[in-house]
């Protein structure tokens, strides 16, 4: 199993709908998790961080972490065309002493007006 | 601007030349990370540094690539004798010195090899 896996998409949702982005991870990457948004030609921008099981909400964004099933998800409510971007899931290694991020390849989201 | 500063934004080199990429972390951040993003590929970790120390260079190619973060000044990623395959976006990220804090990214350096 790849360390961090995401469906590459593209995922298309109508404006105003909920976009659901999913990510699974291996045992090696199981410490902390982050969602980044990357517009084409731009740098990754931190959206959410999540460290423990459960849900974490910030505005229109909700991150969910389930360590037993080894998945982390990002929900975007009331999707807007400006949310159209590639969403990167990333995790850190367990107990390695290095906080390097391991990224999935990203899911491309298109919000249709 | 209190964000992560990278320069240059774009760098063009001919094969065999040297490329130097610079990164100044956010104020208060002492951990610096370099990542590379090849066209249509995901972000790949290269090296993790603190002031005057390389903590983890497990993602660095064994030859031609080196990194430093001196006591004074920015972190430098150096690529010697560049080849076409080095063409990529190189991103620097920084984080505070407290555990697994989120990393914040600079705008990146787009390196093109002619």
């Amino acid at each position: 199993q790849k360390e961090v896996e995401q469906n590459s998409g593209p995922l298309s949702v109508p404006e105003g709908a909920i976009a659901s982005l999913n990510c699974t991870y291996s045992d090696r990457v199981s410490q902390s998790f982050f969602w980044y948004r990357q517009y084409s030609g731009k740098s990754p921008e931190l959206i959410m961080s999540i460290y423990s099981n459960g849900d974490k909400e910030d505005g229109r964004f909700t991150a969910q972490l389930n360590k037993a099933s080894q998945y982390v998800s990002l929900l975007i409510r009331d999707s807007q065309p400006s949310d159209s971007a590639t969403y990167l899931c990333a995790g850190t290694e367990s107990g390695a002493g290095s906080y390097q991020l391991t990224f999935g390849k990203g899911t491309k989201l298109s919000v249709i007006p | 601007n209190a964000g992560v500063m990278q320069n240059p934004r774009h760098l063009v080199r001919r094969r065999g030349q040297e490329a130097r990429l610079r990164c100044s972390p956010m104020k208060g951040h002492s951990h610096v990370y370099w990542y590379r993003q090849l066209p249509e590929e995901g972000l790949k970790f290269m090296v993790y540094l603190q002031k005057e120390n390389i903590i983890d260079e497990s993602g660095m190619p064994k030859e031609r690539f080196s990194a430093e973060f001196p006591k004074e000044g920015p972190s430098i990623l150096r690529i010697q004798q560049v080849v076409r395959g080095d063409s990529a976006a190189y991103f620097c990220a920084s984080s505070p010195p407290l555990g697994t804090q989120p990393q914040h990214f600079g705008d990146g350096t787009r390196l093109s090899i002619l």
Side-chain angles (χ1 to χ4, degrees), chain A residues 94-107:
Chain A
S94 309
S98 170
Y99 305 117
Q100 60 164 291
L101 291 174
T102 300
F103 283 87
K105 287 193 172 183
T107 298

Side-chain angles (χ1 to χ4, degrees), chain B residues 11-57:
Chain B
L11 182 61
V12 180
R13 286 285 178 266
R14 297 189 179 279
R15 281 178 293 172
Q17 292 184 321
E18 178 180 290
R20 285 192 177 219
L21 288 61
R22 295 175 184 77
C23 169
S24 296
M26 284 179 72
K27 189 174 182 180
H29 288 192
S30 57
H31 295 199
V32 166
Y33 308 79
W34 287 93
Y35 295 86
R36 178 166 65 175
Q37 189 170 38
L38 293 166
E40 304 305 319
E41 293 281 328
L43 278 157
K44 300 291 186 187
F45 166 76
M46 299 182 75
V47 62
Y48 162 38
L49 310 104
Q50 297 176 20
K51 284 285 187 181
E52 300 184 280
N53 283 303
I54 297 174
I55 307 302
D56 180 358
E57 56 182 345

Side-chain angles (χ1 to χ4, degrees), chain A residues 3-113:
Chain A
E3 292 169 349
V4 177
E5 288 200 69
Q6 295 181 255
N7 187 327
S8 61
L11 173 66
S12 293
V13 300
E15 184 175 354
I18 296 175
S20 177
L21 304 160
N22 300 308
C23 172
T24 58
Y25 59 88
S26 68
D27 289 339
R28 194 172 79 84
V29 183
S30 58
Q31 181 79 354
S32 308
F33 297 91
F34 306 90
W35 283 98
Y36 288 84
R37 176 175 64 196
Q38 187 174 28
Y39 294 110
S40 181
K42 301 296 185 182
S43 63
E45 175 191 6
L46 180 69
I47 299 294
M48 293 283 285
S49 58
I50 187 164
Y51 303 96
S52 56
N53 277 330
D55 295 359
K56 180 181 177 183
E57 186 174 320
D58 184 1
R60 296 187 296 113
F61 300 96
T62 299
Q64 300 172 319
L65 175 59
N66 184 323
K67 291 195 173 185
S69 301
Q70 294 185 292
Y71 84 78
V72 58
S73 64
L74 179 69
L75 300 178
I76 307 174
R77 290 181 297 281
D78 188 24
S79 295
Q80 302 297 308
S82 58
D83 294 327
S84 298
T86 296
Y87 288 80
L88 305 172
C89 172
T92 56
E93 288 188 24
S94 309
S98 170
Y99 305 117
Q100 60 164 291
L101 291 174
T102 300
F103 283 87
K105 287 193 172 183
T107 298
K108 189 170 184 178
L109 172 67
S110 292
V111 180
I112 312 301

Side-chain angles (χ1 to χ4, degrees), chain B residues 62-81:
Chain B
K62 294 287 185 272
E63 297 178 348
R64 302 186 298 109
F65 285 73
S66 62
E68 62 176 2
F69 189 14
K71 186 176 181 180
E72 301 291 337
S75 175
I76 306 284
L77 179 68
R78 182 183 178 203
I79 311 173
Q80 295 179 288
Q81 299 177 318

